[in-house]
Amino acid sequence: TPALIALSNAAYDEAKLKKSDVMAFPSIQIDHLYGYSDACVGGVTDAGASDACFAANYAVIAPLKRDRFAMSSYPPLGAFKNVADIPADWFSRGPSKKAETALIAETGWNSSALVASLNGTCETVSANTESDEEAYLDFVLRSAESQKIDVVNWWSDRDLVVSSYMTDCPCTFDPTWCAVLSEFRGPDAGPDGGAVAFFGEVLSKAFGTMGLRAYDGTEKPTVYGRWQAALGRPIAK
């Protein structure tokens, strides 16, 4: 960690040497910062544990040089399966610690379920629909509005994969897509082969359908419309 912070700070210093007024910052993964990760057992259900983890984790990132408190967050990949469970201060807790100006560097939510094979059994890792993605996008945009966040950067304009890739288990729907999945899974052999292959499959699908449009470019009715509505407002003068 100290070496990574030193590298980030060196990049910051170099950027400032090139252009003193450039806006420079690293992106901080707030799901981990707040303690909602394997490193902080109990963070999801125990407020005390989450507070303690946040304090400890914030102390680690305190030396990072930055002009903005830039956040990345993917709640459904770890802490939360339902948008309604996300704390209201999700995008304000970190930057408010030192009254920093915030921006959302990257975030997203899948519009389809994620199913992966573990030792021959198909496991539903998350059960998402487009309405879940729309609800989270709405949460993000409302948070940005109320907190006067500088920038919101959604994960992707277009899905990275076709929706069938996310749910077809075992994969049979298309030879090419199934070959891609096979490469991510690798061999199932060995004492931990099944778990490793499962992780590889989950990783290949983790950000698969977070786009505002489907893989073929078709606009997702609610998500794309919500984003365009936010973009279409006149700029205050």
Side-chain angles (χ1 to χ4, degrees):
T1 300
L4 183 59
I5 291 174
L7 177 63
S8 178
N9 287 348
Y12 177 93
D13 291 340
E14 184 67 19
K16 291 295 187 180
L17 281 174
K18 298 290 185 183
K19 193 172 188 294
S20 61
D21 61 348
V22 73
M23 196 68 66
F25 47 83
S27 177
I28 298 165
Q29 227 288 348
I30 56 175
D31 309 59
H32 300 309
L33 175 65
Y34 299 161
Y36 292 89
S37 67
D38 293 339
C40 182
V41 177
V44 174
T45 58
D46 187 331
S50 181
D51 290 343
C53 282
F54 175 46
N57 292 338
Y58 191 92
V60 173
I61 67 164
L64 280 170
K65 295 181 179 180
R66 53 188 185 260
D67 298 325
R68 289 290 186 270
F69 193 93
M71 298 170 280
S72 66
S73 181
Y74 295 95
L77 302 183
F80 304 102
K81 301 305 179 187
N82 299 298
V83 177
D85 296 331
I86 303 174
D89 66 348
W90 192 247
F91 289 111
S92 62
R93 189 178 188 188
S96 66
K97 181 81 171 176
K98 297 291 185 182
E100 296 181 75
T101 302
L103 63 82
I104 298 174
E106 59 175 89
T107 195
W109 195 291
N110 281 316
S111 63
S112 62
L114 194 165
V115 182
S117 177
L118 177 60
N119 297 321
T121 301
C122 293
E123 303 281 349
T124 299
V125 178
S126 59
N128 299 306
T129 65
E130 187 181 326
S131 63
D132 295 313
E133 184 184 13
E134 195 279 330
Y136 180 65
L137 176 59
D138 184 66
F139 173 79
V140 169
L141 294 176
R142 285 189 291 104
S143 296
E145 180 80 22
S146 64
Q147 295 159 212
K148 294 180 169 39
I149 289 176
D150 274 1
V151 173
V152 174
N153 186 42
W154 193 253
W155 167 253
S156 178
D157 172 64
R158 187 172 70 103
D159 286 351
L160 304 183
V161 302
V162 295
S163 59
S164 295
Y165 183 83
M166 301 286 288
T167 57
D168 195 45
C169 181
C171 190
T172 60
F173 79 100
D174 180 271
T176 301
W177 279 109
C178 293
V180 171
L181 179 60
S182 180
E183 289 297 318
F184 272 96
R185 284 186 59 86
D188 284 45
D192 297 317
V196 172
F198 175 76
F199 177 78
E201 180 170 355
V202 171
L203 183 63
S204 78
K205 299 177 176 182
F207 304 91
T209 56
M210 291 185 178
L212 302 171
R213 298 182 293 148
Y215 181 80
D216 65 1
T218 303
E219 298 170 4
K220 297 179 184 177
T222 58
V223 179
Y224 189 85
R226 179 70 178 91
W227 183 262
Q228 291 302 315
L231 286 178
R233 296 175 305 168
I235 298 174
K237 296 181 179 180

